[in-house]
Amino acid sequence: MPRLALLALLPALLLVSACGDRAEAPAEDLTTAGAVADAMLARYADNLGDVEAFTVVGGGAEARYSLSGDTTGLDRFGPPQVAPVGDAAPQMAAQLLFVQVPNVPRIARGLRSAELAGPLTRDGRRAYVLSTTDPGALFGEPGLASTDTTETREFRVYVDADRFDVLEIYQLVASDTLRQPITSRILYSDFQETDGVTLPHTVRQIETGLNLAMADDDRMLMGGQLGIQKERLKMEPPTPERDAQIANLEAQQRVIAEGISEMTLEVEAVRVGAEE
């Protein structure tokens, strides 16, 4: 299913990004995807090459990264261990901790032969665009391009042209059976340095077309059930927990009615080094 195809790509985004700002940027604009990939890897080595562990806190949860023992150079850190902070339930946006730092070594390897465009202006920043139709590129395993002529896939990675931060990962699936494409965008901004490590402190995910695989009767039924739950919550005394539940139901209603899901994770703290 196209929706499942999009979700299946997310594990490729679970590891660690080259977001440093200390390595010297190239003096001239780059002209090949391979050169951009090399610059991304140089940033990665400068930013996280000597780091053994770090923790990212946001959305009522924290993600702990530690060395994986990998010797290939593709997975220096293992998948983050995410746990709640305090007694309250984490916010929905806490799930973005799993994609808060992209796996630059794998992306750079997979997109080395991608189509290159730019630099162009993207949200006020100069950016290169690496484009491919191969889903394996985001895993660092190119060569998985689909042979299905009824389906179109497109993947783009936007990279800052001066500091080589990953600014956005874009995925699109279009099919003859869908009224409109299904898209997923993960956007990274507000890069800040903590103890020599620079990471994005705002991560936003926007997905569209999520309701296309649902039958009209199912959408109406689920929408009605969510509406009843929301009205019941409105009759309860106002509390932060109640308001969070209402906001969650409204987000689900938008997915069902419009096929649009939006979440934003604001990083509250970064701790570099192993936990005491």
Side-chain angles (χ1 to χ4, degrees), residues 1-13 133-136 138-139 144 146 148 151-155 169-175 178 182-184 207 209-210 213:
M1 296 291 294
R3 168 61 175 158
L4 295 178
L6 276 177
L7 292 177
L9 297 177
L10 291 181
L13 314 177
T133 59
D134 184 353
L138 295 182
F139 294 92
L144 299 179
S146 175
D148 186 351
E151 184 176 86
T152 300
R153 295 169 180 251
E154 183 178 353
F155 309 92
I169 297 174
Y170 172 93
Q171 305 176 52
L172 176 147
V173 174
S175 172
L178 297 174
I182 296 175
T183 67
S184 173
E207 298 178 301
L210 301 184

Side-chain angles (χ1 to χ4, degrees), residues 82-94:
V82 178
V85 174
D87 298 329
Q91 303 166 18
M92 283 187 63

